[in-house]
Amino acid sequence: MQKLQLIVERLALNNVSSDDVQQMLADDARDTTSDEIRASSQAAEASGDWGVVMDYESGPGAIPGFHITEKQARVEIDSQEDFISRGAVTVDSARSCFEKYKNRLDHFPYRILNDHAAVTFESVRRTSQLLTASVCAVGALHSASEDFEVYYQNFMQSSAQKILYKQHTIDDVRALCIGAFWLSDLSWSLVGAAVRIATELQLHKSFSKAMKGDRQHYLRARLYYLVYACDHHFSVAYGRPPMTRECEAIRNAREFLKCEFATEDDARLVSQVLRWSICSNIFDAFGVDVDRPLSESDLPHLRRFSLALDSVRAEWIDRFSPNAHVGNYPRKGVGLQYNFAKLYLCSHVFRGVSTAGFTSHAAEVAMDFEEIANSAVLAASAILRAVVSDPEIQGFLDGLPTYFNTMIAFAAVFLLKVSTKYSSVVQVDLQKIKHLLRTLLATLKSVTSSMHPRHLLVSITAGIENLLGRSGVISSTYAVEEQEPRAVTAREDAGIAELEHDPTASFSMEEYDFLFNPDMDFNLEFPEQGSLV
């Protein structure tokens, strides 16, 4: 246990590599005998740290009829002196970052903090150190605060400790979701923990009680919808199976709006749940084998999913009014997310397709596939045109969750690959696409000029610039800095070949970091951002 605690602490401080962790765990396993394990188990039982609680009150249909619980938390993290009290940052700095998050950022994912009128910096600080650290870290990132690293490290340490304990609250779920939505290098680990804890707290079971007028269960149910959306932000779009499933609360999401407490923010949240539910079905229908070309039998699925996305867009696009905190994002966000989903769907048609196009299919089927491929190009172009032509959307970029940044990158690189490598598959105006990509780069450089260097969009912008330079879309004099020519390594060649082979490839941070690295060194880390967890 001491060694495990050491591992956790070193992970929290980002001072240990994955190889070190594997070696420490292996050493710990060799050093631990069966007698020690039995002695540890007996000591834990005798001390009353945990126990099996038999549930006699529930009905015979309740499975499994018992649960394991800690009778007393081993460490009360939130009762300890927090990082603000220790003087790591000033109270004024923390309050400023908190207000930045509460008054703007929290409204993009439809209010994770819930009752804003009652939520204050002091109340959150009293309730949860983890939530305080999460909110302040995200607020600091979007305030370009010099204290960001302090908040970030404290959040990492607090979350690493919390994840291993069995006693959790819904504030823990909120904190992990907030971190996952905006702290890109931690997102996948944080959302996994959020889903697990939300399931342990049985948030997915609160739907029925919320519909009966229980306000606490209403808050729990809407938090589960946020967990569902967060999970899908970092699973489906990255080629990973989502951890949340299509349970009753998800299948009946529209019914949630009949709850007496429902607001327009809940309607915005439900619209996203419906869209991600369709994307989950797309993921299940087509799988993850990017080398398998779609067949004629896949066409009906493509058409039905496309119609479903069109229907959701038509249902919600004119429903939302301007928001006091994020302007016209409620309405414009529907259009952006629709085009993201449409690109995700239609890009599947490029799977396994050679540069010769769809010639292996019958003429009528090939025409259908070309139509879908054109829809993918239109969706990607619509995303980039929205970014370059709408100043309000540009204002959203320093606030939108990470998913939006990665999909902008996906749309840009998708258009570049289609226009240069697959021009025989889809007829595109190469000059217009080049102009759009140059304008996008100029827009992103302007938008990111005032952002914190650790903001993901800063790295994405540099990555796009280098990629456009390498592909000849921009001249070498356009780049931020000249780079010495060098031979392409085998690893680089393999990475580029994979991207060229699969235009539908999602830009997972583990596999495609070289697109976001301004130094083009093809390593597995973001610039100045620490190792991926």
Side-chain angles (χ1 to χ4, degrees):
M1 287 301 294
Q2 290 178 339
K3 288 189 177 182
L4 179 59
Q5 183 65 28
L6 176 61
I7 293 171
V8 172
E9 290 173 355
R10 293 182 64 188
L11 278 171
L13 295 173
N14 207 22
N15 288 333
V16 61
S17 68
S18 58
D19 291 340
D20 291 337
V21 171
Q22 295 296 328
Q23 185 61 48
M24 292 171 74
L25 290 174
D27 293 342
D28 193 40
R30 285 193 297 269
D31 294 343
T32 304
T33 65
S34 58
D35 289 339
E36 289 174 325
I37 294 174
R38 283 194 296 271
S40 176
S41 177
Q42 291 167 0
E45 186 174 4
S47 67
D49 284 342
W50 61 272
V52 177
V53 178
M54 310 306 294
D55 186 4
Y56 181 72
E57 299 299 325
S58 62
I63 299 174
F66 72 90
H67 62 276
I68 299 174
T69 183
E70 285 183 311
K71 295 178 181 178
Q72 185 175 2
R74 290 180 175 85
V75 178
E76 295 291 340
I77 295 174
D78 289 330
S79 66
Q80 297 176 350
E81 184 182 43
D82 66 12
F83 65 96
I84 302 171
S85 300
R86 295 194 300 270
V89 294
T90 66
V91 173
D92 288 342
S93 171
R95 182 179 286 107
S96 175
C97 292
F98 178 90
E99 294 298 330
K100 173 74 172 183
Y101 177 84
K102 175 187 172 183
N103 294 330
R104 177 168 173 79
L105 304 174
D106 199 46
H107 296 272
F108 284 114
Y110 325 127
R111 293 188 300 110
I112 302 175
L113 292 179
N114 283 326
D115 295 325
H116 270 218
V119 173
T120 65
F121 170 69
E122 288 75 16
S123 67
V124 170
R125 188 180 172 192
R126 284 194 305 268
T127 303
S128 172
Q129 182 180 155
L130 180 62
L131 184 57
T132 303
S134 176
V135 169
C136 288
V138 173
L141 177 64
H142 293 84
S143 302
S145 171
E146 295 179 355
D147 292 329
F148 169 72
E149 191 63 33
V150 178
Y151 294 116
Y152 179 81
Q153 292 296 335
N154 275 281
F155 172 64
M156 282 185 61
Q157 187 171 23
S158 296
S159 58
Q161 290 175 329
K162 271 285 188 179
I163 286 171
L164 291 180
Y165 296 123
K166 294 181 180 178
Q167 290 188 341
H168 296 101
T169 69
I170 59 175
D171 278 341
D172 296 335
V173 179
R174 290 192 180 104
L176 294 170
C177 282
I178 289 170
F181 271 126
W182 282 283
L183 302 177
S184 56
D185 52 343
L186 302 177
S187 293
W188 184 240
S189 297
L190 295 176
V191 75
V195 171
R196 176 178 64 81
I197 295 171
T199 304
E200 290 174 356
L201 295 175
Q202 300 189 353
L203 299 187
H204 58 292
K205 293 185 178 181
S206 288
F207 173 81
S208 59
K209 292 182 179 179
M211 299 307 297
K212 294 176 182 177
D214 188 315
R215 180 166 179 77
Q216 290 305 310
H217 281 280
Y218 153 76
L219 296 173
R220 288 165 57 90
R222 83 179 306 277
L223 180 57
Y224 185 73
Y225 286 138
L226 283 162
V227 171
Y228 179 90
C230 189
D231 174 29
H232 283 68
H233 273 211
F234 301 102
S235 58
V236 171
Y238 291 88
R240 302 161 176 157
M243 293 169 281
T244 48
R245 305 307 300 163
E246 307 297 296
C247 62
E248 177 191 13
I250 303 303
R251 293 194 304 271
N252 299 318
R254 284 185 179 87
E255 295 296 310
F256 185 69
L257 299 182
K258 297 178 182 178
C259 175
E260 62 180 283
F261 309 110
T263 66
E264 183 173 297
D265 278 344
D266 296 326
R268 294 168 60 198
L269 179 55
V270 165
S271 72
Q272 185 171 174
V273 168
L274 296 174
R275 191 179 304 107
W276 279 117
S277 180
I278 296 170
C279 289
S280 284
N281 293 330
I282 294 171
F283 180 89
D284 291 339
F286 299 114
V288 296
D289 185 0
V290 299
D291 295 320
R292 182 186 72 83
L294 298 190
S295 65
E296 182 178 354
S297 63
D298 292 311
L299 271 172
H301 297 296
L302 284 166
R303 294 193 188 102
R304 282 197 293 270
F305 288 134
S306 183
L307 288 173
L309 291 173
D310 292 344
S311 178
V312 168
R313 179 181 184 273
E315 179 181 357
W316 300 97
I317 188 67
D318 295 318
R319 181 164 178 170
F320 303 127
S321 57
N323 181 277
H325 300 275
V326 290
N328 289 306
Y329 172 71
R331 183 179 185 278
K332 293 180 179 180
V334 172
L336 276 176
Q337 295 189 63
Y338 163 78
N339 282 309
F340 288 156
K342 200 79 167 184
L343 174 58
Y344 169 70
L345 168 66
C346 295
S347 63
H348 281 78
V349 78
F350 288 91
R351 286 187 167 187
V353 174
S354 68
T355 54
F358 305 106
T359 54
S360 60
H361 297 286
E364 184 176 350
V365 175
M367 288 180 62
D368 287 334
F369 278 137
E370 288 177 14
E371 180 182 350
I372 295 168
N374 277 311
S375 294
V377 173
L378 289 173
S381 300
I383 293 167
L384 301 191
R385 284 199 303 270
V387 172
V388 303
S389 64
D390 191 331
E392 188 175 27
I393 288 180
Q394 293 167 21
F396 297 153
L397 296 180
D398 192 14
L400 288 172
T402 293
Y403 163 75
F404 291 86
N405 301 325
T406 57
M407 286 305 293
I408 290 171
F410 178 34
V413 182
F414 172 83
L415 283 179
L416 182 62
K417 288 188 289 184
V418 168
S419 61
T420 56
K421 299 292 183 181
Y422 293 85
S423 57
S424 60
V425 178
V426 181
Q427 297 300 316
V428 296
D429 188 324
L430 182 58
Q431 294 307 313
K432 284 186 177 180
I433 288 182
K434 284 185 175 182
H435 175 72
L436 179 59
L437 292 172
R438 292 191 195 104
T439 307
L440 173 71
L441 178 58
T443 301
L444 292 181
K445 290 177 72 173
S446 175
V447 168
T448 58
S449 62
S450 59
M451 287 183 180
H452 194 285
R454 294 278 299 273
H455 195 294
L456 178 62
L457 196 59
V458 174
S459 293
I460 285 177
T461 301
I464 290 175
E465 181 173 24
N466 278 283
L467 198 60
L468 295 184
R470 289 167 66 90
S471 63
V473 174
I474 60 174
S475 65
S476 58
T477 58
Y478 190 94
V480 172
E481 58 184 18
E482 295 286 339
Q483 297 192 29
E484 292 296 325
R486 59 178 176 79
V488 177
T489 67
R491 180 167 178 258
E492 294 172 26
D493 233 347
I496 294 172
E498 183 176 355
L499 284 171
E500 292 176 349
H501 175 67
D502 175 26
T504 73
S506 300
F507 294 94
S508 90
M509 297 166 192
E510 292 83 357
E511 296 171 342
Y512 302 117
D513 280 341
F514 64 89
L515 291 177
F516 307 141
N517 192 321
D519 298 324
M520 293 301 286
D521 59 4
F522 294 77
N523 63 25
L524 293 179
E525 295 182 357
F526 285 99
E528 304 177 2
Q529 246 184 283
S531 299
L532 295 169
V533 175

